[in-house]
Amino acid sequence: MLQHALLSVGCKAWRALSCPISELRLDLTLGCGQTFRWRETGDGHWTGVMGGRVWTLTQTDDTLWYYVYTNQNNHGTGSVSEMGSSAESVPDKRLKGVGSMKQEDEEGLKVTSVHDSTEQELLKDYFQLNIQLENLYKDWGACDDHFRHIASIFTGVRMLKQDPVECLFSFICSSNNHISRIQGMVERLCHTLGPRLLTIEDTHYHDFPTLQVLADNGVEACLRDLGFGYRARFLQQSARLILDKHSPDWLHQLRGAPYEEAREALRTLPGVGVKVADCVCLMSLDKLDAVPVDTHVWQIAKRDYGCSSGNGQKTLTDKVHREIGDFFRQLWGPYAGWAHSVLFCADLKKFQKLKERAAGVKAEWVKSEGDQKGKSNSKKQKDRLSERNDAKGKTAKKMKLEKPFSRNRTVKEEGE
DNA sequence: CGTCGACCTCC
DNA sequence: GAGGTCGAC
């Protein structure tokens, strides 16, 4: 039976990609709620489906290791593609020890020559490794002290370039929901409607369902049975609308459209409001400056940046969405969506333990530098904002920066 | 342009 | 109530 790969057991079967930990942290990047398809199947080992293949990823200091499974030993249906069959049985042999390692090496090389470059490119593309995260962190932190201190702990948080179909339909599921439940829903969605790829240790790995399958009339009832609630209809109707009024690759084509245009196009789909549209733009359509504003991001803007947009309001109106988004775009620039994900990640409950370290670092810093530094910080931030205002020909009136950067804020207790 | 209730299910 | 959207005031 196929088993989840472990680097320590069969490292010769793994392939390596040079990638320092500062450029990518798998735990944060795969666990921050931008994708719902990866699980930690071993210590620091993440297994999931991407590009129609099943992968296990792990990393050491300067290396991203990846293992691509093949369908040999698959106990599922015969509908699995034959792609990669030349690598059959490599996983099992690797995991059984060192006895036949020599032969496996040769086999591994053969496999590598056929698939390695494609799969490596797939991985580079998915993690967008051509974009230098360290440089971006420096830019964002240069005029934003809050960011800099959070970022000193939350390194390597990067945006994935996801498949637009998977991204859209996953985020339609996200309304009124938290990450763990969305994960369960997406898992059931794929298990029920997506083609099976292979089975590892009794876990079935499926690809994401196609638009054609999602658009079927029976899908709503099916998904309601699976606990999707009112989102079941949104999913089916959105798929239907895309196929009827547009085309199967309409979503992909939105990669070539300007941000505003793509955003408005997505909003014509049922179940897609501003927040979901921004998520899809940022996470699958290359809109680097799309900032998805939800209640958490709103809290961050108010609590950590003294942003007063929507103060005294109960709900997130379109106007507040726009103002918060503009606020962060002014602050961070063209990669604002990427920067936002770092703070968003740091606000998640499951990463609070890490954040306490950040708070400690910050406390020491405040202690050693004193209040003067804090004051000049907020000045620096305002300078930066007005610079951007000037550059874009906008008035300072648009900015909602009220109070200076608060240095003694409490660690957030709630949230996912 | 902003508020309100409803929509599903889970904790 | 929840990381939201929709339709009606």
Side-chain angles (χ1 to χ4, degrees):
Chain A
M1 189 174 75
L2 204 52
Q3 295 176 48
H4 285 111
L6 280 175
L7 185 59
S8 58
V9 176
C11 63
K12 294 278 172 57
W14 289 68
R15 282 171 249 160
L17 196 50
S18 174
C19 179
I21 209 93
S22 57
E23 284 295 315
L24 171 66
R25 277 276 301 267
L26 284 176
D27 55 343
L28 302 179
T29 298
L30 299 179
C32 70
Q34 58 177 321
T35 174
F36 306 98
R37 296 277 272 152
W38 297 87
R39 301 288 186 279
E40 193 171 8
T41 50
D43 190 24
H45 287 56
W46 296 84
T47 302
V49 176
M50 184 270 289
R53 295 156 166 82
V54 184
W55 308 68
T56 292
L57 312 174
T58 192
Q59 56 187 157
T60 49
D61 282 351
D62 292 309
T63 307
L64 171 60
W65 299 90
Y66 61 103
Y67 185 101
V68 186
Y69 297 85
T70 64
N71 59 350
Q72 175 73 8
N73 295 326
N74 171 39
H75 301 300
T77 68
S79 63
V80 190
S81 87
E82 286 305 300
M83 173 192 62
S85 59
S86 61
E88 58 202 23
S89 85
V90 169
D92 268 6
K93 283 191 197 167
R94 302 285 170 183
L95 292 165
K96 279 177 183 163
V98 291
S100 53
M101 199 57 110
K102 189 87 175 182
Q103 185 191 346
E104 288 159 16
D105 284 344
E106 289 163 12
E107 205 174 328
L109 285 174
K110 201 166 58 185
V111 171
T112 294
S113 66
V114 177
H115 299 287
D116 190 43
S117 79
T118 316
E119 285 162 353
Q120 179 160 311
E121 287 311 308
L122 215 44
L123 202 61
K124 280 185 185 168
D125 185 62
Y126 185 64
F127 284 104
Q128 312 201 66
L129 295 178
N130 57 318
I131 293 176
Q132 296 296 309
L133 197 59
E134 265 197 282
N135 293 337
L136 290 173
Y137 267 56
K138 281 185 189 132
D139 289 345
W140 299 324
C143 297
D144 179 350
D145 295 304
H146 176 64
F147 181 90
R148 198 164 62 252
H149 293 285
I150 291 293
S152 67
I153 298 302
F154 288 85
T155 57
V157 181
R158 57 167 57 241
M159 295 311 307
L160 267 14
K161 180 171 182 171
Q162 301 185 64
D163 174 69
V165 173
E166 173 171 333
C167 191
L168 170 66
F169 289 89
S170 296
F171 278 95
I172 289 178
C173 297
S174 74
S175 69
N176 258 325
N177 245 331
H178 48 276
I179 293 175
S180 59
R181 185 150 93 101
I182 302 166
Q183 279 181 339
M185 290 167 70
V186 172
E187 193 170 70
R188 294 196 293 280
L189 179 68
C190 294
H191 187 85
T192 310
L193 299 175
R196 184 192 291 186
L197 297 173
L198 48 77
T199 300
I200 308 174
E201 294 172 32
D202 297 326
T203 302
H204 302 307
Y205 288 89
H206 293 251
D207 209 344
F208 202 85
T210 62
L211 280 177
Q212 288 73 16
V213 167
L214 290 168
D216 188 274
N217 289 138
V219 161
E220 177 181 351
C222 171
L223 294 180
R224 278 188 182 270
D225 288 343
L226 291 175
F228 280 63
Y230 59 87
R231 304 166 196 85
R233 183 164 26 93
F234 289 156
L235 291 165
Q236 190 271 328
Q237 287 184 340
S238 282
R240 182 83 272 158
L241 192 149
I242 291 170
L243 292 179
D244 286 353
K245 293 201 166 183
H246 305 288
S247 68
D249 61 338
W250 179 70
L251 284 172
H252 275 95
Q253 287 169 358
L254 290 177
R255 280 189 173 150
Y259 168 37
E260 297 294 336
E261 190 182 320
R263 189 175 188 260
E264 294 320 302
L266 291 170
R267 286 196 61 182
T268 63
L269 303 172
V272 181
V274 278
K275 195 272 182 175
V276 170
D278 275 334
C279 284
V280 177
C281 279
L282 174 65
M283 302 170 187
S284 71
L285 298 180
D286 300 331
K287 315 309 178 204
L288 312 172
D289 57 338
V291 179
V293 178
D294 56 27
T295 54
H296 280 176
V297 173
W298 191 18
Q299 297 313 310
I300 291 170
K302 288 192 287 195
R303 182 193 67 202
D304 300 330
Y305 293 90
C307 183
S308 65
S309 179
N311 268 185
Q313 279 183 212
K314 190 71 180 169
T315 56
L316 229 37
T317 61
D318 271 14
K319 185 167 174 264
V320 178
H321 272 102
R322 184 165 30 79
E323 287 180 354
I324 302 288
D326 286 344
F327 173 80
F328 284 124
R329 274 183 286 274
Q330 302 269 348
L331 180 60
W332 293 322
Y335 281 77
W338 282 54
H340 131 282
S341 74
V342 178
L343 296 192
F344 183 87
C345 179
D347 230 42
L348 293 174
K349 190 170 191 175
K350 62 176 162 187
F351 295 134
Q352 281 311 290
K353 211 167 183 175
L354 271 172
K355 194 173 178 185
E356 282 160 22
R357 274 184 62 202
V361 168
K362 192 167 179 178
E364 280 177 32
W365 175 80
V366 169
K367 195 178 167 188
S368 64
E369 301 289 335
D371 281 355
Q372 292 308 313
K373 180 96 180 188
K375 282 171 189 167
S376 69
N377 286 337
S378 93
K379 180 182 183 300
K380 215 161 49 171
Q381 192 176 89
K382 282 180 180 170
D383 289 346
R384 164 123 173 140
L385 291 174
S386 52
E387 264 175 39
R388 291 194 173 279
N389 279 339
D390 294 345
K392 295 200 171 186
K394 288 184 180 174
T395 63
K397 217 201 283 186
K398 287 217 147 195
M399 302 319 303
K400 302 283 179 176
L401 192 65
E402 259 194 345
K403 63 181 184 189
F405 167 63
S406 70
R407 276 161 287 118
N408 297 319
R409 74 179 197 294
T410 53
V411 172
K412 192 176 182 205
E413 299 290 349
E414 52 188 35
E416 176 69 18

